[in-house]
């Protein structure tokens, strides 16, 4: 059995003016996909290892991934798409291809309003019109009719924060192996639920997601009165992309012979999701930026340190620019209190290529004048002039080869990256010699805290700051979303067709 694999994934925030290009992506080609150990917990690795275990011969194409950011450059997208399709045609020349399994996101947008996944999978479908085709998706996928047309079955993450990417790849590959081994056709039931959920209201450890996800897992097990579904997934859409098909979608993939069960299960899940719509709330205490900083100072005084404050409106892992400055301005405005903290306030951090370059050039130990922020998000940020000391430089960090700089400014320590890599990665601060647990107040450009921070936080506060990942969806100026949509249209009613 020869199976075509590969992936192209990105979460594209259409409010962020940055165009995500070649420089932002890590790309692996052909056999190089298997050799990369950087993404060993990604769905692509789960797919490859499961297919191998199942005795399949893997025909790898291209794997390209970038950190969430603004929409993807059209020329880069076309280049990777062409490579992937060329490799598929080449594979066909060398022998039959029996199936396709891709690692995707589901909310990748390309300049010119292109939904990448439907375009890519549709083009691949033309080359391989009849073989079974499965895909692994992120939970924040926005499902379009054309994507459903191209792909037979889907598995999506069941955790937020996302800790089951690998397992999702395993499930996508298992579905493909099952259909190939049994000869039974795949089918996916779909129900669109006209809802949009702010990322930080959908943590899967909390209700209502916890029991909704548990219901998906139940469906994947056989029950006395019904067969097991191959995969049951809740796709929440991506609130920071203004596009027609953004909404919650329930997908239940099964063998075609179980179509009626899958249809009923998807409908029931969708009804339950809708019934519980009022329960999606923030699980972390939240305030505007000024109030969040004041609450954090008070919490430090009560000894609840390390106190974490999420700069949630400018969360690069939700595709925001990473250089909005509202929260930094709130901290600077309260500098007398910041200076009196029992240790430095740690701010991780800023995506600021010019500042990182200037600090790299000046070197460790130097003092210099820089501006921080406001290079990209000029609506929610401005260039803040600061006199800083360069405490530490890392010249080549991680799979995206970013410069890291640790800067000091009075009683503040700030991490700065030259690449848009976000601040949710537990390795970034240790690479700068920093143990966040030792600081009284830690500000991170994140929404919900990733486990590396949550596990050490004495108190977690979310600042609903301004930025391209604004958590208050009712205030976002959407133009293309299909309405009505809850909670933007609060009093709307809905029933599945
Ligand atoms: Zn996601």
């Amino acid at each position: 059995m020869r199976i075509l694999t590969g992936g192209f994934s990105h979460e594209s925030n259409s409010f962020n003016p940055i165009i995500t290009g070649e420089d932002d992506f890590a790309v692996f080609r052909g056999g190089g996909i298997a050799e990369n150990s950087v993404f060993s917990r990604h769905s692509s690795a789960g797919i490859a290892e499961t297919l191998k275990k199942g005795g399949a011969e893997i025909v790898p194409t291209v794997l390209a991934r970038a950190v969430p950011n603004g929409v993807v450059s059209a020329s880069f997208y076309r280049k990777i798409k062409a490579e992937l399709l060329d490799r598929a045609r080449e594979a066909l020349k060398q022998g039959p291809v029996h199936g396709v399994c891709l690692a995707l996101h589901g909310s990748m947008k390309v300049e010119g309003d292109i939904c990448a996944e439907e375009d890519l999978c549709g083009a691949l479908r033309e080359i391989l019109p009849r073989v079974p085709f499965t895909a692994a998706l992120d939970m924040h996928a926005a499902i379009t009719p054309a994507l459903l047309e191209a792909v037979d079955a889907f598995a999506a993450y069941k955790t937020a924060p996302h800790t089951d990417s690998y397992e999702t790849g395993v499930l996508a590959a298992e579905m493909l192996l099952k259909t190939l081994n049994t000869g039974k056709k795949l089918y996916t039931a779909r129900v669109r639920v006209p809802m949009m959920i702010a990322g930080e209201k959908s943590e899967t450890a909390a209700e209502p997601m916890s029991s909704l996800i548990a219901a998906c897992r139940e469906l994947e097990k056989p029950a006395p009165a019904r067969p097991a579904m191959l995969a049951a997934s809740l796709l929440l859409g991506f609130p920071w992309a203004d596009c027609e098909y953004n909404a919650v979608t329930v997908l239940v993939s099964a063998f075609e012979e179980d179509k009626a069960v899958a249809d009923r299960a998807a409908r029931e899940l969708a009804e339950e999701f809708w019934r519980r719509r009022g329960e999606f709330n923030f699980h972390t205490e939240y305030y505007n930026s000024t109030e969040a900083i004041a609450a954090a100072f008070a919490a430090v005084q009560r000894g609840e340190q390390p106190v974490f404050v999420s700069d949630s409106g400018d969360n690069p892992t939700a595709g925001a620019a990473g250089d909005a400055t509202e929260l930094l301005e709130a901290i600077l405005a309260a500098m007398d209190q910041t200076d009196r903290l029992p240790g430095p306030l740690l701010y991780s951090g800023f995506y600021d290529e010019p500042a990182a370059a200037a600090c790299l050039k000046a070197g460790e130990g130097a003092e210099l004048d820089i501006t921080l922020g406001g290079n990209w998000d000029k609506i929610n940020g401005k260039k803040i002039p600061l006199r800083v000391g360069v405490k530490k430089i890392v010249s080549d960090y991680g799979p995206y080869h970013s410069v890291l700089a640790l800067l000091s400014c009075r009683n503040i320590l700030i991490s700065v990256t030259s690449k848009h890599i976000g601040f949710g990665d537990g390795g970034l601060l240790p690479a700068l010699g920093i143990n966040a647990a030792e600081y009284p107040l830690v500000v991170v450009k994140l929404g919900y805290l990733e486990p590396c921070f949550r596990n050490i936080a004495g108190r977690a506060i979310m600042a609903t700051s301004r930025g391209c990942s604004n958590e208050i969806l009712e205030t976002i100026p959407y133009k293309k979303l299909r309405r009505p949509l809850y909670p933007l249209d609060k009093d709307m009613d809905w029933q599945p067709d």
Side-chain angles (χ1 to χ4, degrees):
M1 263 184 326
R2 294 174 79 230
I3 308 296
L4 201 78
T5 66
F8 198 177
S9 68
H10 189 246
E11 189 172 76
S12 314
N13 182 319
S14 67
F15 298 97
N16 175 352
I18 300 173
I19 300 298
T20 308
E22 182 143 23
D23 240 25
D24 301 300
F25 274 88
V27 183
F28 302 91
R29 294 172 166 90
I33 296 178
E35 286 153 27
N36 103 73
S37 57
V38 181
F39 298 130
S40 61
R41 297 305 301 162
H42 182 236
S43 57
S44 54
I47 289 170
E49 285 166 29
T50 306
L51 291 177
K52 214 176 288 170
K53 263 189 229 155
E57 180 194 339
I58 293 168
V59 184
T61 58
V62 187
L63 175 67
R65 287 187 75 201
V67 173
N69 204 344
V71 301
V72 174
S73 128
S75 62
F76 176 71
Y77 171 71
R78 280 198 297 268
K79 177 178 156 177
I80 296 296
K81 175 184 168 187
E83 267 190 56
L84 198 149
L85 298 181
D86 283 348
R87 284 175 187 269
R89 287 188 202 98
E90 197 51 42
L92 267 179
K93 278 188 208 154
Q94 284 159 14
V97 170
H98 300 95
V100 180
C101 192
L102 296 187
L104 303 173
H105 184 288
S107 282
M108 176 165 155
K109 299 281 174 296
V110 182
E111 282 179 293
D113 246 356
I114 296 167
C115 293
E117 290 86 0
E118 65 169 39
D119 181 71
L120 182 72
C121 296
L124 191 53
R125 198 37 125 180
E126 282 177 22
I127 297 170
L128 292 159
R130 277 177 292 276
V131 303
F133 186 160
T134 67
L137 297 175
D138 189 280
M139 180 185 272
H140 299 108
I143 303 297
T144 68
L147 178 62
L148 279 169
E149 196 62 35
V151 177
D152 299 308
F154 302 85
Y157 300 169
K158 288 188 173 68
T159 59
H162 306 322
T163 53
D164 66 336
S165 180
Y166 181 92
E167 290 73 13
T168 304
V170 170
L171 191 54
E174 280 175 353
M175 288 195 286
L176 191 71
L177 290 172
K178 281 179 186 167
T179 185
L180 288 168
N181 290 335
T182 61
K184 295 179 182 179
K185 281 183 108 178
L186 295 170
Y187 169 77
T188 293
R190 174 241 197 188
V191 181
R192 175 185 185 271
V193 186
M195 279 180 71
M196 186 78 98
I197 302 163
E200 278 47 50
K201 290 183 177 177
S202 56
E203 285 177 80
T204 49
E207 289 297 335
M209 279 302 279
S210 151
S211 47
L212 290 165
I213 290 290
C216 291
R217 292 192 196 280
E218 272 313 301
L219 283 169
E220 291 170 2
K221 295 177 199 154
R226 59 151 180 83
M229 300 290 94
L230 298 176
S233 308
L234 303 175
L235 294 309
L236 303 186
F238 181 57
W240 301 294
D242 190 9
C243 62
E244 184 188 354
Y245 288 106
N246 224 336
V248 172
T249 307
V250 177
L251 295 181
V252 178
S253 294
F255 288 130
E256 197 165 54
E257 63 188 27
D258 300 323
K259 178 176 186 298
V261 183
D263 284 339
R264 191 171 63 241
R267 190 187 159 97
E268 285 171 3
L269 268 176
E271 283 171 340
E272 179 65 2
F273 204 102
W274 178 253
R275 194 181 67 75
R276 302 193 67 177
R277 65 192 178 283
E279 295 176 47
F280 286 90
N281 291 309
F282 294 125
H283 300 291
T284 308
E285 57 182 309
Y286 65 100
Y287 313 97
N288 68 35
S289 291
T290 306
E291 290 167 358
I293 289 301
F297 287 139
V300 170
Q301 276 196 338
R302 282 194 296 273
E304 295 171 338
Q305 43 194 278
V307 176
F308 275 76
V309 176
S310 307
D311 187 356
S312 72
D314 186 35
N315 173 8
T317 60
D323 71 347
T325 53
E326 186 186 79
L327 197 56
L328 178 62
E329 290 172 63
I331 292 165
L332 295 174
M335 203 58 205
D336 53 332
Q337 282 173 283
T338 307
D339 280 337
R340 287 201 303 273
L341 285 169
L345 180 156
L346 178 63
Y347 200 146
S348 189
F350 274 80
Y351 162 53
D352 194 316
E353 193 178 358
C359 294
L360 178 67
K361 191 170 166 214
E364 288 179 7
E367 271 207 14
L368 70 161
D369 292 308
I370 60 163
T371 68
L372 202 56
N375 295 311
W376 294 101
D377 188 348
K378 296 180 198 300
I379 296 172
N380 307 295
K382 59 184 180 210
K383 291 176 183 287
I384 307 286
L386 293 174
R387 176 91 185 154
V388 297
V390 182
K391 308 291 277 186
K392 174 107 180 141
I393 293 282
V394 175
S395 57
D396 184 5
Y397 175 76
Y400 303 102
H401 306 288
S402 180
V403 173
L404 306 182
L406 183 68
L407 312 181
S408 69
C409 173
R410 290 176 51 178
N411 200 29
I412 309 177
L413 279 178
I414 307 175
S415 68
V416 174
T417 64
S418 68
K419 291 289 200 76
H420 186 278
I421 57 171
F423 301 93
D425 155 16
L428 191 148
L429 288 170
L432 286 166
I434 295 285
N435 175 4
E438 294 170 357
Y439 291 80
L441 177 46
V442 185
V443 179
V444 280
K445 281 194 186 290
L446 264 182
Y448 42 60
L449 294 178
E450 293 291 332
C452 60
F453 295 133
R454 174 171 299 180
N455 295 341
I456 59 170
R459 171 108 170 248
I461 293 168
M462 189 169 84
T464 50
S465 45
R466 290 191 304 136
C468 300
S469 55
N470 177 357
E471 290 283 342
I472 312 298
L473 305 188
E474 293 88 336
T475 64
I476 297 178
Y478 295 110
K479 292 190 180 74
K480 297 176 189 161
L481 278 186
R482 194 196 288 179
R483 306 287 285 265
L485 200 75
Y486 183 89
L488 309 182
D489 304 295
K490 240 186 168 45
D491 299 326
M492 66 174 287
D493 210 3
W494 175 79
Q495 279 195 328
D497 299 330

